[in-house]
Amino acid sequence: MQLRDQVVVVTGAGRGIGAALARRFAREGARGVYVVDRDEGPARQIAAECGGTPIVLDVACESDVKAFVDSAFATFGRIDLYCSNAGVMQDGGIEASNADWQRAWEINFLAHLYAARALVPHMIEQGGGYLLQTASAAGLLTQIGAAPYSVTKHAAVAFAEWLSITYHRQGLRVSCLCPQGVHTRMLDDCESAPADLLRDAALTPEQVADAVVQGLADESFLILPHAEVATYVEHRACENERWLRGMRRLWDRVSPDDGRQGSVDPK
Ligand SMILES: NC(=O)c1ccc[n+]([C@@H]2O[C@H](COP(=O)([O-])OP(=O)(O)OC[C@H]3O[C@@H](n4cnc5c(N)ncnc54)[C@H](O)[C@@H]3O)[C@@H](O)[C@H]2O)c1
């Protein structure tokens, strides 16, 4: 896909990777850029920068997502590319509260489902369309110290694969963006030792946007801004026991005490 003259939507575009995508798509000549975020100020600011339209909504609210998608099709007549990018870090393990697991599930997975449910019928009717889902390298491998993040990002990858297989012949194209560390507020706010491991090789959001523009041009399913992730995925698949041993060693090295990750309330 080439971006020129396309109508695009980017969620979580008030800052970080989403803001870099919105700016870059505008520079590539997109005809309309919807800058979606739950925070109004940042959505307005980024939309002003890229001549786009700010939309304030919570991607985890299905009725709001559907209302927005329907109104965008009514206004512009089409959406060519929808980047379901908003996501949240949630670290912890089995001790993380149900509310934290639920929040990660709603934003990191259900938001992709709600978007696809609203978009796919319109896109099939318009003769095709493109869905870009931001997951993470954690959705292909794992994020040590962050079970809710890893699990929900795996679900995002699985769903993107399913969409790609199921709707290809109706003209839908799907890409799944899986970076490792990226210098954004999400990474900056993480104070855990596992997050520190990601900082050295972290990319800028603009480098991720470069990889996305290339991946869309190639219509690649997996977009891997960190090329080494492809090698890790291969190790995990082909030498799973060895990969697990290596990951356990890494966890032993960075985990706070005996690796139990906090206490579980028996209630
Ligand atoms: N930063 C990284 O190291 C990294 C690595 C791999 C994948 N990712 C993924 O990239 C995506 C973007 O991350 P980022 O680093 O730019 O994060 P960020 O925290 O810097 O920005 C996320 C944006 O999404 C918005 N947002 C969050 N929840 C929302 C909701 N429910 N509805 C609408 N908007 C919402 C926030 O307001 C914010 O503007 C996420 O899906 C994240 O999991 C990030």
Side-chain angles (χ1 to χ4, degrees):
M1 162 183 251
Q2 299 299 323
L3 276 306
R4 177 153 297 283
D5 292 331
Q6 307 289 357
V7 177
V8 306
V9 176
V10 185
T11 73
R15 64 177 196 230
I17 295 170
L21 292 178
R23 289 191 190 102
R24 180 61 191 271
F25 294 159
R27 282 215 313 279
E28 293 288 318
R31 179 155 62 98
V33 181
Y34 286 103
V35 175
V36 178
D37 207 281
R38 66 181 168 195
D39 292 340
E40 183 173 356
R44 285 193 180 285
Q45 189 197 320
I46 303 301
E49 278 176 35
C50 60
T53 308
I55 303 288
V56 181
L57 63 78
D58 179 348
V59 294
C61 175
E62 182 168 20
S63 56
D64 286 0
V65 171
K66 182 165 171 31
F68 159 60
V69 167
D70 289 346
S71 80
F73 272 92
T75 310
F76 259 116
R78 56 189 304 109
I79 292 175
D80 299 294
L81 168 66
Y82 189 101
C83 303
S84 187
N85 168 78
V88 285
M89 169 48 70
Q90 182 57 62
D91 60 12
I94 55 176
E95 81 294 349
S97 70
N98 286 352
D100 285 345
W101 276 93
Q102 188 62 29
R103 174 173 157 273
W105 178 243
E106 287 177 5
I107 301 175
N108 292 346
F109 168 67
L110 285 180
H112 299 309
L113 170 65
Y114 298 155
R117 213 180 246 159
L119 285 156
V120 167
H122 286 295
M123 285 184 163
I124 290 175
E125 201 181 318
Q126 76 182 5
Y130 213 121
L131 303 175
L132 173 82
Q133 288 185 191
T134 303
S136 165
L140 297 167
L141 303 159
T142 196
Q143 170 91 21
I144 54 175
Y149 190 73
S150 302
V151 169
T152 55
K153 291 295 187 178
H154 270 259
V157 173
F159 184 55
E161 279 176 353
W162 186 91
L163 288 169
S164 172
I165 291 164
T166 307
Y167 293 110
H168 190 90
R169 91 183 115 138
Q170 279 105 326
L172 256 71
R173 296 294 174 267
V174 181
S175 291
C176 189
L177 172 61
C178 295
Q180 282 196 300
V182 184
H183 288 296
T184 67
R185 180 98 61 87
M186 181 180 285
L187 186 57
D188 293 348
D189 284 354
C190 280
E191 285 169 2
S192 64
D196 287 342
L197 293 172
L198 297 173
R199 282 186 230 283
D200 283 350
L203 300 177
T204 64
E206 290 70 30
Q207 288 173 304
V208 174
D210 288 344
V212 166
V213 168
Q214 187 60 53
L216 293 174
D218 298 342
E219 298 190 357
S220 312
F221 174 73
L222 278 184
I223 299 181
L224 303 177
H226 300 77
E228 60 272 28
V229 170
T231 312
Y232 304 152
V233 169
E234 203 179 313
H235 287 168
R236 177 177 178 267
C238 301
E239 299 180 86
N240 189 251
E241 293 297 338
R242 189 165 164 226
W243 178 81
L244 283 169
R245 281 196 297 276
M247 294 300 283
R248 286 180 202 125
R249 274 198 300 275
L250 201 54
W251 175 237
D252 288 347
R253 188 146 65 80
V254 301
S255 56
D257 37 46
D258 59 357
R260 268 184 299 121
Q261 260 211 285
S263 60
V264 181
D265 184 342
K267 283 177 283 180

